[in-house]
Amino acid sequence: TLDRGADPCAIVTAEVAGHDARDVVAELARRRINATATLQWYGLLDLGARGVETAVRLSPHYYNTTDEVDAAAAAVAEVVAGRAAATTSAAAG
């Protein structure tokens, strides 16, 4: 993650190497997972110094279950691996 704070919080901002965060966020949205893309100019002091162009930001809250957090992590891993979300018809078939 890109968080350098002394007291980490539930907001996770991570570079997804080899992927534009906007594309990752779009695929997560197709899977009904809320995330945002952070662009370098949003965080010039942090991201610019690290050479990070884009990053994915996930913000789990107290009402998210462990299963939901695990599903979000698995979805990011699938996107990185190049696996698209299953369509409703494919999942049912």
Side-chain angles (χ1 to χ4, degrees), residues 30-73:
R30 281 190 277 285
R31 298 167 186 236
R32 302 182 49 85
I33 297 171
N34 293 324
T36 58
T38 298
L39 307 179
Q40 187 182 72
W41 61 273
Y42 294 171
L44 288 175
L45 297 178
D46 254 358
L47 302 181
R50 296 175 185 202
V52 174
E53 295 291 325
T54 65
V56 175
R57 180 178 171 144
L58 293 160
S59 304
H61 293 281
Y62 67 90
Y63 52 77
N64 288 110
T65 67
T66 301
D67 288 343
E68 290 170 331
V69 173
D70 290 344

Side-chain angles (χ1 to χ4, degrees), residues 1-2 12 14 27 29 34 36 44 57 78 86-87 89:
T1 107
L2 299 170
V12 177
E27 179 59 30
N34 293 324
T36 58
L44 288 175
R57 180 178 171 144
E78 288 175 3
T87 63
S89 60

